[in-house]
């Protein structure tokens, strides 16, 4: 392994030296922003990058990634091309622990209006999305499920159910269904008894789960085609099928918020400019540009006061103050520490 | 092993087989006596193999009746006919040993274990391959496979033995040896045997009678010697043995070759079309001086002489421009008397040896 | 070689014409080497695209946190879920293979008995799905089999069932989908093998007293076994690594090795753990081949061909 890394590092060092003249000439006027592509990155361009190019007089290039592995490879080889990367919360937390990010400059970044759980020394949350309880309005006309306890209540709410085939979110959900308050979920789950309790609760629902989904598209398809009547689903996915006319709805009550966050890879060529850009993106005015384009929640609560977000959008947004109140935020730190163990426990439980 | 079963007669009654508009067989009438060794002889595509397949039951005639021992078997499925068949490629089962192959027909008849063992051993002994019993088929030579195929076809004492060009894959020496062995086997078992071949020499060597088939029709059915001596048509004369055919024309009630009248002591078979004088190379004699009465005389020059071991073949160009072949044995005194290349030669054919055939049967 | 060269050689050899044996042998070796040289580019490509990645995989499986470690293998022994995942992978592969044989062999047999022309036409029907995207076919089964899918609609419309049958998102759906995808892999090699069986064998069996049914079982079927085995092994091995169809139709209830590998490599970037599973799967597969090879000697079945 070491041989390989030193070889790659050598190649990369050569590349950096060769490109040195070029990068100083371009320094501070160009920046590379890297995200997951697709509609999401298009919205990011329109909401954040276009206004910033005008405001700062810089050019922002784009690239796409699929996860932290590519960032890790760039940083470890010393050939860093990206200045800002958009990653899932778990990756951000892992990257910080591995030391592959630059520390963020909180002299420049105003954290007022941002939840404590939504930023850390080396990353900052940029959008919220939520794992919510989605259901068929056809099946549940009179009385709708409104909590994870209702999801577990197969007598009052008969019907086909689906959950994600994944420990993250499901263990939290199980504990909440068992009466643990949202604020204490990780505290309980962190103990052996709490873990046992979560799986014991899952045992109750196990035989009533018709499908264990493994992609966001699948969860949407299951609800849209009426294959199941109730499922966990990401709020954006459910919005999309509801807009397309499927008889489905969801509740934010006891939803589990997750974040996408921004980070600056260690050794990024334009890290000073990157600090400035990150600080602007999380500011309320630019944050408020996202909801009209896509229903991802701003991480800065002040953006809801900016006047750019309508009352209707506010009600639907996963991170509006009212919705934020009834949900919990997924703990990147907890999952970073316990993921391997709990994935094994999950697989053992699933294959039992 | 010996024929413990009376041999049976076979009859084809107006058998036809059509493939679309193509007539593979056209109203074949043929009776085969019990215990007879009959050969179906014809060039490839003549219909001889088709006739054998109909008899074996692998194909259905378009019309007509096949009788065996007087009863109609036309619609009987092949596995009930109780005929042994030897295929051209032997069709020995590659996944079975020699013993398993030969025992196969007995197992199909649910014979008891001991009887199978005994009869397989007898059959292998009959073809002198008892020592190969446990071999796999791919470990056998061509000649050994041939004998195993034969053993498998006779081990269950079938009513009839059918053979479809069984020797065509063997080299000449082995083939001639097997011809005699098969002939002996037939004599020992006395089983009615139908043998298909395109090799006229093989047909003449082995058969009690030969049925010559061409274009889906039975042309002539005869014992070998008389088939050779008295062909019925130009086709048969040409196909059987070696011959030169000279065109003859009927003039005032007699046949003549050019201006030369032909003396014949044999009746000319009925037929249609032109007539041909059949000259067998070994039946010609050398003449010095004038020809006696009753001998047809041909003069010409020696074109070339080819030495072929036990015989030599001389080709002679006649005054008419036609070629004749002359075969002589190679004893020193015979060879000394022969003219050399380019020298004139005078040949004679006795009236008793002179045969005239029509172009085709009536 | 110049004329003088030949002369001097001839002179040297005068009286000993058989002394050239070493040179002739060398010529033969050189010729053989040249023939080998022809296949060298192909061998190189195979080495690079097939052997190296496998070796890399093998190596990765022994690396944890940058140093040599058996941690990935230890975890597989420690965690009971791994054994269950391997077991269910081999089990479902075997079941799919058996179903594919039961469905595919009669079809291949039918094709082999038709005229070449009719068989080619029918083969196209076998091949059309084969040429269609795997994802499309898998989703097509989802559309057919789900709770409000075509089949349940019909069954309920005809009054045959009251409540929709659970046909997908479970073991049943996975079996249906996998079998459908795998069928061509069984039919094609089997059909090719059946075509080469000389019909004279069946005629011979009939003439020797075998009814059509007995002729089939005693002659045709044994001769078709090598082809059938080839097809069945192909299906079995492909099933072992099958991901898309079981992932989409299994509803998360069928957990196979491929999914666990995807989870490790694709979701957690744990190449070592994923590689270790790949290595175990490879070794287990080779072990099964070895065992099968001892049980049935293919040579014996093939005989002369």
């Amino acid at each position: 392994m070491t041989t390989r890394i030193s070889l790659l590092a050598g190649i990369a060092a050569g590349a950096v030296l060769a490109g040195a003249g070029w990068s100083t000439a371009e320094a501070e006027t160009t920046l590379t922003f890297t995200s997951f592509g697709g509609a999401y990155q298009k919205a990011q361009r329109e909401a954040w990058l276009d206004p910033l190019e005008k405001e700062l007089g810089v050019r922002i290039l784009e690239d796409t990634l699929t996860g932290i592995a590519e960032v890790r490879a760039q940083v470890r080889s010393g050939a860093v091309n990206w200045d800002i990367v958009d990653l899932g919360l778990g990756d951000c937390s892992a990257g910080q622990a591995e030391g592959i990010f630059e520390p963020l400059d909180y002299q420049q970044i105003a954290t007022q209006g941002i939840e404590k759980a939504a930023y850390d020394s080396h990353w900052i949350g940029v959008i919220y999305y939520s794992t919510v309880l989605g259901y068929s309005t056809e099946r549940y006309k009179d009385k709708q499920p409104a909590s994870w306890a209702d999801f577990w209540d197969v007598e009052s709410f008969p019907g086909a159910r689906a959950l994600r085939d994944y420990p993250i979110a499901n263990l939290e959900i199980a504990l909440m269904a068992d009466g643990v308050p949202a604020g204490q979920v990780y505290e309980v789950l962190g103990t052996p008894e709490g873990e046992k309790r979560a799986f014991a609760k899952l045992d109750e629902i196990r035989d009533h789960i018709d499908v264990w989904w493994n992609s966001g598209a699948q969860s949407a398809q299951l609800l849209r085609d009426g294959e199941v009547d109730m499922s966990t689903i990401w709020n954006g996915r459910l919005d999309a099928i509801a807009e397309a006319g499927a008889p489905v709805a969801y509740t934010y009550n006891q939803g589990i918020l997750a974040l996408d966050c921004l980070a600056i890879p260690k050794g990024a060529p334009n890290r000073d400019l990157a600090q400035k850009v990150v600080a602007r993106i999380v500011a309320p005015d630019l944050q408020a540009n996202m909801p009209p384009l896509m229903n991802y929640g701003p991480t800065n609560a002040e953006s809801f006061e900016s006047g750019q977000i309508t009352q209707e959008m506010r009600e639907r947004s996963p991170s509006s103050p009212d919705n934020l109140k009834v949900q919990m935020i997924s703990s990147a730190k907890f999952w970073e520490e316990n993921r391997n163990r709990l994935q094994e426990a999950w697989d053992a439980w699933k294959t039992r | 092993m010996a024929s413990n079963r009376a041999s049976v007669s076979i009859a084809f009654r107006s058998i036809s087989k059509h493939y679309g508009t193509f007539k593979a067989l056209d109203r074949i009438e043929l009776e085969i006596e019990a215990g007879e060794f009959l050969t179906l002889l014809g060039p490839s595509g003549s219909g001889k193999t088709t006739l054998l397949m109909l008899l074996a039951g692998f194909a259905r005639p378009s019309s007509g009746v096949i009788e065996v021992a007087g009863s109609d078997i036309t619609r009987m499925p092949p596995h009930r006919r109780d005929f042994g068949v030897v295929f051209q490629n032997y069709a020995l089962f590659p996944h079975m040993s020699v013993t398993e192959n030969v025992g196969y027909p007995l197992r199909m008849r649910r014979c008891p274990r001991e009887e199978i063992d005994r009869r397989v051993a007898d059959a292998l002994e009959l073809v002198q391959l008892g020592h190969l019993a446990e071999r796999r088929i791919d470990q056998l030579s061509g000649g050994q496979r041939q004998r195993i195929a034969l053993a498998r076809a006779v081990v269950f004492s079938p009513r009839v033995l059918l053979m479809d060009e069984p020797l065509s894959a063997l080299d000449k020496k082995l083939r001639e040896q097997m011809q005699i062995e098969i002939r002996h086997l037939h004599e020992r078992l006395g089983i009615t045997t139908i043998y298909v071949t395109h090799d006229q020499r093989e047909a003449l060597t082995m058969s009690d009678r030969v049925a010559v088939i061409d274009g889906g029709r039975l042309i002539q059915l005869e014992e070998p010697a008389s088939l050779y001596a008295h062909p019925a048509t130009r086709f048969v004369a040409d196909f059987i043995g070696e011959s030169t055919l000279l065109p003859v024309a009927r003039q005032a009630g007699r046949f003549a070759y050019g201006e030369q009248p032909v003396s014949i002591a044999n009746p000319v078979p009925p037929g249609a079309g032109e007539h041909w004088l059949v000259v067998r190379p070994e039946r010609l004699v050398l003449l010095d001086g004038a020809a006696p009465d009753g001998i047809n005389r041909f003069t010409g020059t020696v074109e070339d002489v080819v030495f072929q071991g036990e015989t030599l073949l001389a080709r002679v160009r006649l005054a008419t421009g036609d070629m004749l072949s002359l075969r002589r044995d190679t004893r020193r005194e015979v060879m000394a008397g022969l003219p050399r290349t380019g020298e004139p030669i005078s040949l004679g054919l006795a009236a008793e040896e002179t045969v005239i055939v029509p172009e085709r049967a009536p | 070689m110049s004329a003088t060269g030949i002369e001097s050689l001839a002179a040297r050899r005068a009286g000993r014409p058989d002394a050239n044996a070493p040179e002739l042998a060398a010529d033969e070796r050189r010729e053989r080497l040249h023939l080998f040289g022809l296949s060298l580019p192909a061998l190189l490509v195979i080495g690079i695209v097939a052997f190296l990645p496998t070796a890399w995989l093998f190596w990765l499986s022994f690396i944890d946190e940058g140093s040599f470690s058996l941690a990935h293998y230890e975890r597989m022994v420690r965690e009971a879920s791994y054994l269950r995942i391997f077991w269910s992978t081999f089990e479902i592969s075997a079941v799919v293979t058996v179903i594919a044989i039961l469905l595919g062999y009669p079809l291949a047999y039918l094709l082999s008995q038709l005229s070449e022309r009719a068989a080619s036409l029918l083969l196209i029907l076998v091949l059309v799905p084969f040429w269609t995207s795997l994802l499309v076919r898998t989703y097509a089964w989802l559309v057919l089999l789900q709770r409000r899918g075509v089949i349940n609609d019909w069954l309920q419309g005809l009054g045959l069932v009251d409540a929709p049958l659970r046909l997908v998102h479970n073991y049943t759906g996975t079996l249906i989908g996998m079998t459908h995808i795998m069928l061509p892999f069984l039919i094609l090699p089997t059909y090719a093998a059946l075509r080469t069986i000389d019909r004279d064998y069946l005629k011979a069996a009939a003439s020797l007293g075998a009814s059509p049914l007995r002729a089939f079982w005693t002659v045709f079927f044994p001769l078709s076994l090598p082809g059938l085995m080839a097809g069945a092994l192909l299906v079995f091995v492909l099933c072992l690594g099958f991901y898309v169809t079981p992932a989409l139709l299994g509803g998360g209830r069928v957990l196979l090795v491929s999914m666990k590998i995807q989870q490790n490599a694709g979701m957690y970037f744990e190449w070592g753990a994923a590689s270790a599973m790949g290595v175990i799967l490879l070794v287990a597969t080779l072990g099964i081949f070895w065992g099968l090879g001892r049980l049935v000697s293919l040579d014996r079945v093939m005989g002369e061909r």
Side-chain angles (χ1 to χ4, degrees), chain C residues 3-303:
Chain C
T4 46
I6 293 173
E7 279 159 20
S8 67
L9 207 63
R12 202 145 35 85
R13 291 278 158 70
R16 287 192 55 208
D18 61 346
N20 62 354
E23 276 90 355
L24 291 176
D27 280 354
E28 182 147 348
R29 273 197 303 277
R30 200 171 315 120
E31 213 164 284
R32 226 178 275 160
L33 210 63
H34 281 173
L35 279 177
F36 176 72
L38 283 177
S39 60
L40 205 61
L43 286 178
L44 264 175
V45 170
I46 289 171
I48 290 168
V49 305
F51 181 72
L52 274 185
T54 311
W56 178 243
L57 185 91
F58 199 77
W59 191 64
L60 273 182
S61 72
F62 290 105
I63 300 297
D64 191 37
E65 311 270 336
S67 57
F68 179 84
S69 157
L70 288 173
H72 303 306
Y73 292 98
E74 277 167 19
R75 188 164 49 166
M76 272 188 252
V77 176
R78 196 176 61 238
E79 302 287 346
S81 62
Y82 282 93
L83 184 64
R84 294 194 208 114
I85 288 169
F86 274 104
W87 174 251
S88 60
T89 302
F90 280 98
E91 185 199 73
I92 202 163
S93 300
V95 173
V96 168
T97 306
V98 168
I99 298 176
I101 289 172
L102 294 179
L103 293 176
Y105 188 88
L107 197 59
Y109 176 74
L110 172 75
L111 287 173
S112 74
Q113 298 305 303
L114 294 174
S115 71
E116 293 265 357
R117 225 181 125 84
S120 329
L121 273 173
L122 279 178
L123 261 187
I124 289 174
L125 290 184
V126 174
L127 283 170
V128 164
F130 195 50
W131 290 329
T132 315
S133 148
L134 177 71
L135 268 175
V136 170
R137 279 184 289 164
T138 304
Y139 277 116
W141 277 115
L142 205 56
V143 170
L144 286 172
L145 296 176
Q146 62 186 0
R147 194 160 67 143
R148 296 187 194 170
V150 178
I151 289 173
N152 268 318
D153 279 358
W154 283 350
L155 290 177
Q156 284 177 289
L158 293 170
L160 293 173
V161 295
D162 296 329
L165 297 178
R166 280 282 168 208
L167 298 172
V168 74
H169 297 306
N170 52 22
Y171 198 78
T172 312
T174 310
L175 279 185
I176 293 172
M178 283 175 79
T179 305
H180 170 237
I181 306 276
M182 287 298 158
L183 217 40
F185 291 102
L186 186 103
I187 290 173
L188 292 178
T190 308
Y191 166 71
L194 299 193
R195 265 277 173 218
T196 62
I197 296 177
D198 195 329
R199 286 177 188 216
D200 277 357
Y201 290 133
L202 288 179
K203 288 183 188 164
S207 75
L208 297 171
S211 66
L213 198 66
R214 295 190 80 190
F216 174 85
W217 284 114
T218 56
V219 174
F220 192 89
F221 184 73
L223 289 176
S224 71
L225 272 181
L228 182 63
M229 285 285 261
L233 279 179
L234 188 63
V235 168
F236 183 74
V237 171
L238 285 174
C239 279
L240 289 178
F242 212 165
Y243 175 70
V244 174
T245 303
L248 286 174
L249 301 181
R253 289 150 178 273
V254 183
L255 195 54
L256 304 183
V257 173
S258 58
M259 298 178 195
K260 187 70 186 163
I261 289 176
Q262 146 71 16
Q263 192 186 68
N264 276 322
M267 206 140 68
Y268 298 148
F269 301 104
E270 295 213 346
W271 294 97
S275 299
M277 293 199 80
V279 169
I280 297 275
L281 189 61
L282 187 66
V283 169
T285 308
L286 290 177
I288 286 176
F289 271 116
W290 182 76
L292 274 179
R294 295 199 51 148
L295 271 179
V296 257
S297 161
L298 284 186
D299 279 359
R300 184 75 185 82
V301 177
M302 298 256 246

Side-chain angles (χ1 to χ4, degrees), chain A residues 299-316:
Chain A
T299 45
N300 195 322
E302 288 186 359
S303 57
F304 288 98
E305 313 307 326
S306 66
Q308 287 158 273
I309 297 174
T310 64
Q311 181 60 31
E312 195 215 336
M313 275 185 236
R314 201 185 156 97
E315 278 166 18
R316 283 177 43 215

Side-chain angles (χ1 to χ4, degrees), chain A residues 130-143:
Chain A
S130 189
T131 300
V132 297
L133 168 51
Y135 54 85
S136 157
T137 50
E138 240 171 33
R139 179 70 194 241
Y140 306 112
K141 277 202 189 85
D142 305 326
K143 196 169 64 155

